[in-house]
Amino acid sequence: CTRAGDLARAEVFFTDMQQSCLAPDVTSYGALITAFAKQGDVAGAERWLRRMVSSKLTPNTAVFNSVISACSRNGDPAKAEQWLQKMLQHGLKPDAISCSAVVAACAKAGDPA
């Protein structure tokens, strides 16, 4: 579902998985978050990242990078920086992808940072 870009179907499948008492892990949340991010649906990626955290799972750098990159593609440096800060709050160290995405968001928005 996620590779085909069918986000609604992916959400239904994910929710069904949860209701079947199968606990999603970081990988399954990550796949869903990345799918939303790649489709440019920042709100959806953020929503699922928040759900992941509320499920007591700790996102990894790749998950945060997906959301930061989606913010970057949408030219929203403020949101990209917010997610970078949240990454730090979770005890994760930003990598080259994280930093490049924030810089790209600033450049796309014309923000001198």
Side-chain angles (χ1 to χ4, degrees):
C1 304
T2 59
R3 286 192 179 158
D6 189 349
L7 299 178
R9 187 171 166 207
E11 278 187 306
V12 168
F13 180 80
F14 196 87
T15 302
D16 288 348
M17 181 175 74
Q18 289 176 304
Q19 291 172 350
S20 299
C21 298
L22 296 172
D25 59 8
V26 173
T27 303
S28 53
Y29 269 103
L32 190 59
I33 291 164
T34 299
F36 275 87
K38 284 185 177 181
Q39 292 292 316
D41 187 344
V42 176
E46 291 174 325
R47 181 178 69 250
W48 283 102
L49 179 50
R50 286 189 190 97
R51 284 188 186 181
M52 178 182 185
V53 171
S54 71
S55 296
K56 307 292 187 234
L57 291 172
T58 302
N60 58 28
T61 302
V63 170
F64 276 104
N65 284 347
S66 290
V67 177
I68 293 168
S69 294
C71 295
S72 175
R73 282 191 295 279
N74 283 355
D76 192 340
K79 260 192 184 178
E81 289 179 52
Q82 283 177 344
W83 284 107
L84 186 71
Q85 288 303 314
K86 289 180 186 192
M87 175 190 264
L88 292 168
Q89 291 167 3
H90 277 87
L92 297 170
K93 184 177 178 182
D95 60 13
I97 295 169
S98 316
C99 297
S100 296
V102 173
V103 169
C106 292
K108 186 168 186 173
D111 184 351

